[in-house]
Amino acid sequence: MNEASRCLAVVPFLCLAGFLANGLLGRRLGRNGGAAVGVAAAIASFLFSIPVAREVFSTGEAVKADLFSWIDVSDLQVKFAFLCDRLSVIMLLVVTGVGSLIHLYSAGYMAHDASVPRYFAYLNLFMFSMLLLVLGDNLLLMFVGWEGVGLCSYLLIGFWFEDPEKAYAGRKAFIVNRIGDFGFALGLFAIFMVFHSFDYETIRANLGDSNIREKLLHTFDLGIWFVDVKLSLVGAITLAFFLGAAGKSAQIPLYVWLPDAMAGPTPVSALIHAATMVTSGIYMICRLSHLFVMAPPTMDIIAGVGGATAVFAALMALAQNDIKKVLAYSTVSQLGLMFLALGTGGFSAGFFHVFTHAFFKALLFLGAGSVIHALSGEQDLRRMGGLKNKLPATFATMLIGTLAITGIPPFAGFFSKDEILWKAWEGCLTGQNVGHGLVLGLLGTVASAMTAFYMFRLLTMAFLGAPRGSAEAHSHAHESPWTMTLPLIVLAICSVAAGFLNVPHALHGGAHFSAWLQPVVAAWPEIATAQHVSHHSAERGLMVVSTLIAFGVSGFALWIYLKRPGLPAEVIQKSPGLGQLYALVRDKFYIDEAYDRVVVRPVKLTAFALWIFVDVLIIDMFINVAALVAEVVSEAARRLQDGVVGTYAVWFLAGAMLLLGYFLYILGAA
Amino acid sequence: MSAPILSALLVIPVAGAALVALLPRENAREAKLAALLTALLTFLVSIPLWTQFRPGNAAMQFVETRAWVPALGLTYKVGVDGISVLLVILTTLLMPICVLASWSITDRVKEYMAAFLILESAMIGSFVAQDLLLFYVFWEAMLIPMLLIIGVWGGRRRVYAALKFFLFTIVGSLPMFVAIIYLYFKSGAQTFDLETLRAALNPAGNEPLPLTVSAARWCFFAFALAFAVKVPIWPLHTWLPDAHVEAPTAGSVILAGVLLKMGTYGLLRFAIPLFPGTAAEFAPIMIVLAVIGVIYGSLMCLAQEDMKKLIAYSSVAHLGFCVLGMFVWNDKALSGSILQMVNHGISTGALFLCVGVLYERRHTRLLEDFGGIAKVMPWYAAVLIIVTLSSIGLPGTNGFIGEFLILLGTFQVKKLPAIFASTGVVLGAAYMLWMAQRVLFGRVTHEENEHLGDLRGREWATLLPLLVLIFAIGVAPNVFLNRVAPTVENYNRQIRAAIRHENERREAENRHRALMTPLEAPGPGDSRK
Amino acid sequence: MRDAFFVAFSFLAIFGGFLTVSRRDPMYSALSLILFFGAISGVMMILAAPFLALMQLMVYAGAILVLFIFVIMLLALRGEEIGGERPWPLQLLAGIGCAVLFGLIAAAMLRAPFQALPKVGPEFGSPEQVGRTMFAEFVLPFEVVSVLILAATMGAVVLAKKNLGKPEGPAVDAPKDHGGTH
Amino acid sequence: MTLGAHDLQLFSPVLILLGTAAVAVTADLYSGKIERGALPFISLGGTVAAAISLLSLWGRNEEAFGGALRIDGLAVVMGLAACAATALSVLMSASYVRSSGIDFGEYYGLMLTAAAGAVMLAQANDLMSVFLGIEIMSIAVYCLTGITRDREKSTEAAMKYFIMGAFSTGFLLFGIALLYGAVVTTGGTEGILQSPSQSSLLRLDALARVPANTPLLAAGLALFLVGAAFKVGAVPFHAWTPDAYEGAPAPVTGFMAGVVKAGVFAALLRSATVAFPHLGLEWGGALAFLAAATMVVGNVCALAQTNLKRLLAYSSIGHTGVILVGIVVASETEHAAAAVLFYVIAYVVMTAGSFGLISLLAREGGELEDISQFSGLASRRPAAAAAMTLFMASLAGIPPTAGFMGKFLIFREAIQNREFLWLAITGIAASVVSAYYYLKIVVAMYMRDPAKGEEFPKGEDRWGAVLGLGLASIATIALGICPAKVLEWCNAAIQSVR
Amino acid sequence: MLTLHNCLLLSAILFATGVFGVIARRNVLIVLMSIELMLNGVNIAFVSFARFYPGSSQAPAGHVFVLLTMAVAAAEAAVGLAIVIAWFRNRKTTDTEEMRSLRW
């Protein structure tokens, strides 16, 4: 066990230590103490992960750390062990790095909150769980982290639990995630049934085994449920896992929790609901990419869902006025793009977007946070504006973030998003799978175009133009303390730089990132990757087009919200159809209400009905009736005892005659 | 075996009860102390069961055998194996906690404590008895104390609840009584010794099976009924919510923590091994009922306003998992369901303690009377959240290990049940968090709740051990599993072999009969006579 | 001749019995019992049990019946104290029941083997013989009966005494006493 | 044959009891109220002495009075049961009789006489002693029932009990006459008649030699059974039981419930084994239906009772049913007979106990009879309530009590024989019902609040009842947990009869 | 016709008559008398058996039994009448249908 793996073993537990310290001794530590401990824990974990990263990057080999045997029943042997390979090292750095930055930021942001220790306790616990998720060397540990982060997001969303709305949002998040976890769990069961193990390596290794492949590909007919559905075992497994991923990464139909999750403190939104947790779904799929590529139908479903989510969410983002809601939907949309990439086999592309997105989305959230902080809690874009000069640093950084997410070269978003779009269009442009590629490509492009619009809308409404909010709120607005601005700046730098890690071959870049991930993620479809070289021209064309679109849309947005702020309103005035559409979009297509009507209430109603009818009315009634009958019979029986000797004598005589008759018959016959 | 630990475990509580009963009525405090000391002593004595238990060994350990009534083939035979050792220790652990939790009892303390101690003996007895009739004696002996605990120190509708509890149980167990005696003769073994009976009922070689198909069915039915009532398996569960709601806190703790385990344990120890073939025949039904229990119980919780009722129904769901894990004869599932018995004892016990904490302060258990408690009782909130999480099986807590093992194991054998049962996990999260939220979060809605004090020392003392266990089992389940595993593997091996063998034998018999006289082949409609 | 007497006594007995159970006033019943007892002792006479016949008269007619009459007069019953009749359907039912009972028993009896009347010596059933048998073979019953009567007397005295509390007067009479103590 | 020392020795238990009775009566006669406190001690002493002399007879299976009596294990065990019932009842009575003004010698005298009758009945080996035993017992018990003669209920109970009793005596006697007839009519072929001894004609074993298909035998047996069934209160001859049990003073009720059953069941067992071994099946068949009916009717009627004594009366009917099941099965397996003995012992103990509690709680005003009057007993008199709970559990057959062991033993035998399985199942079903009504009492004592101003008399001056309750409780538990020894005796007893 | 059967029939008739009396009459005293009828019927049976199967003895067991029966009958009569008196004191009636304080 060399030094690197020793560090690896320590990393998560630093955060756990922080959690315990804050959780148990929070009262003693007090505000500043709590914050200090929390931040220290995070940063320490980052520092400790550096040597690990160095080791991995230098050798390219995975760093392992076995701790102890966790569960050990018959053929189920689960080690509590960490594994940091080419895939997880990136997550490791993102989580610890961005995590520490956000911890630092929180120290400033939450400074005035009543229960700082609790906050940092949760945050550290989240870090711990997330690291478990990322570093666990088997699916079960990942699942532990998976549920752990779910718990933390529950706790953090409901951090200000005195507001029932927030508490409710937290619960919603947890339960929706649980639905995803249900899928994850089923996937686990199935995996174990096939591989008799949860270890990545074992699974990966056994995939080569012919009879296991054959077992996986064996298709069975689900005619019992739907009309004639054929599904291969691996298809089922991957679908189950995708359900899990969709839950965690807020894809249709399970995205509903993420927008509400904005009820939590903004740094939380940045860390959990933008940078790290929500991307764990992508991470998981990359982990199991070799499994997924065995099930093309699943891949298509993933791509479709991803694309749809991207567009759908972006659409809703267009019409939100809550600054955080906009970002939330944008996150959903970006996640959708990532899934789109995964679904088209662009595992590295998707994961690269995870990487870059972590930076600029965190940046955007934190910026939004600092705006909210400055306006002392104001979140409505319509009451902002003209903050450019009040919050220069924030504005600058957020501008960078916006450019990055919009996909303006040479910011990070450009490279990652371009790769995704290419993967989407690839089928079409290479003429292998035109229709398929066309649909996905269009979805991707539209989504990114809308991204450009709503992001610039946000930026403009918040910082440019004239202040629309109350004057004194505007006058009190001030730049945030260094603890908050510093992270912004760092993240901004990353958002600029990160892209260059993966300059595509088309631009004569090294595509180092993809190359780096090559060994750990599956290549799919084989043909495309084979002919990859021959399409650089098409790829360049796509880049140009998408860049132009980005510029155009951004400009359009700028123009509208700077010069003609009233325009949208007018348009809506003009055509009622558009108006209704707008209302529909603004109200998020009434999805929440629909869920409430279709799922939540019916379940509760069923529960109540069952309770009343089955338990109370049927079962208990049956019992009570039985008791009653007994009482009645007995009451009747005792009335026979009328107290008159003569009657007694009659029975007596009857009995005597019966006995006489019996014996005379029995013996007389003998 | 060196020291008669098990007998000591049976005697000490009763002796303590006698001691408590002899105390003059005035000094209730001494009675409590005496009871507490007795319970603690019992726990201490039970520790060797854990330390000296030989994990690698699947056989009965700490066995003691004495002649009881030789003329009737009754033996006093006690012992523990991997299945029961955890449960025994769980019992001895929960008992001091219950005594502590009952500290605020003021009415007829002596009787209360005495009843509890007697109950403890009976419960331990049922776990360790290796002689069917001995088991039955302990099993029934639990009735009266529990009846009194519910009926005397219970809530408003306590009498109804107590009667319901008593009648359900007795109606369930008398058929078992008949069946036990029937076995005594029909097995040809002329003994009540479990091991011998099992061997006699499942002859290894080609000697004829002692029971006809229908007889075996009836006997299994009788046993299963008795235990199904205790578990409780849907639809025999309706006594449980009432009993829980009315019982005093400690009563609920014991009821959920130990008494319900009697049912699952009984199925595991008696119903299945004695009639493996029939059990296999009925396994589908049991599995379906278990799954129904899981989902139905969870749904019920969503409809409850009374915390205790909610938790009671959640017990139905949790024990549904246990039963599910028993009827697939998969090592993982079975280990899981044994562990889950313990887990349920711990988590649900702790939940009831938490409810009790609130009840002592506010004398209500209705969810609507609370809200925002986390503000006034932060530590309490933390504890309740932890316990809730363990009850919904969050990884890192004990609940996860149990449920995961059960579902994993079940899935290997039976897909659909496992899938349906897994939905129970989602629902579980829904109702438990719903409860936690309505109690803890939001603003303080009732001004009575403004000044509730946080957990006191005594309450910590009751809750802390359970919290520790919640995480201990969650993080290091092996410590517990490796005591269970060998027994489980051996157990399943036996059962599976027995099932196979019995089926072959029946096949052969039927073929033979069919050859001889086609009419005499026993059909499923075979009646008892 | 003997048959004629037998038949006559039998009918007298049956008639007396019928009268006894059919009178409304207990006094009449008691009086018709005399007839009945007499007839019975006659039958016993014919059945060569002179001692029993004598006893029959002494014990039943002499003691029991007197006791009855004594009590009847003691109670000096008035109309409503005697009590009414049962409704005739019930009486009819009772009659049928008894008929059936009789039928059943008779059925058993009539299938007893026929036995010609055996000759017996003149001293058959004489007091001396009966006493001999009794003290030879049935000494235990004889003694125990005394106990029985002791108990009965005790009980009767206790029950018939006016009121509870301290018992006044001797409870048992001397001659019966030794019955219990040997 | 003349009566010799040997006979008297074998007869000594009865004689001791009778002697004590006479002593009690005379002691009362020639003494003021002062010494009345001594009466219980005298009677107790007598009973214990009788028990000891019974024990001294253990193991010697001999006949006395030319075969009129047979002193064997059965006689000893059942005699002991009767003595136990008597002793407990005497203890329970001590305070009761004083408070209800019947604390004169005759009370104990009658009790001891009845006990003597029962003991003799247990030894009776010929029809005549059976008859006399039953009569002595019954007449004494009639008087005891009515002994609180200023209470209408008491006298009415006595009246009913007496009328029905005398009625049944008629049947019994007729049955005996027919049996006698059966012997003599068939005996000629067997040559008994030629034997000089007349008493041998009435011996039970003489009946065994009568061909099974003799009509007189059938009729006689039927009527004989009627008489016996009446005494133990089997359906449909049970009607007197609730009235008599309710009307009689509580200690007397406990006494007659136990003693009469002990005596009569002993006689039944003896005649079953000695007189009608060849009629096993028929006998069993007839009783099987009686038993089933008895269990069902008894328990069902008890369900709706609100008067504790009446409830216990019906429950005693139910128990009679169970015992009858044992006797039925005894016609097949001899273990069942032992089970019957055990059950009778257990029954004696728990019944004496439960009625003892009523006696204990009785005060000048009268007895607590309505169940509601027992509300809250547990909070006022915890020990008494606990004991009562124990007895109720035992009557309901919940382990670890004597009642459970008894039920276990009897149903065990019933289940063994396929053709009696239905009896066992009926019995089990019935005991489910019974569990419910026994529970009502526990519920009342523990879970209801005492009625306004309900004062349960204190136990200081009631040493007797307290002691009795204590003994009964201990016995109930002991028989439930370690029945081995007693069971051995019962088996030995049955062996000795054969 | 003096045959065993006739004698037995006589006894059976008397017995049945007594039974009838017990069932059909309400007056306690008459009921008691009816019981006496039954016992006498039994006596007849004993005596006739003794008469027709005297065996070697000059005084068969039947005779002795009859004597006992008489004694018992006397005892019962005494007790019974005592009870009647006691009850009469309480209820001032001899009508059995008045015995209703104990029922159900």
Side-chain angles (χ1 to χ4, degrees), chain B residues 430-450:
Chain B
Y431 62 76
M432 287 313 279
L433 293 178
W434 182 64
M435 181 189 85
Q437 173 177 12
R438 290 189 58 183
V439 174
L440 298 177
F441 302 150
R443 287 181 197 71
V444 180
T445 45
H446 297 62
E447 65 284 355
E448 308 92 307
N449 297 345
E450 295 285 0

Side-chain angles (χ1 to χ4, degrees), chain D residues 18-60:
Chain D
L18 292 173
T20 324
V23 171
V25 174
T26 40
D28 182 18
L29 278 185
Y30 303 121
S31 69
K33 202 166 180 72
I34 313 90
E35 284 78 0
R36 282 214 175 145
L39 290 176
F41 294 101
I42 296 173
S43 333
L44 208 54
T47 324
V48 173
I52 291 171
S53 67
L54 269 172
L55 278 174
S56 73
L57 297 176
W58 173 257
R60 34 192 300 193

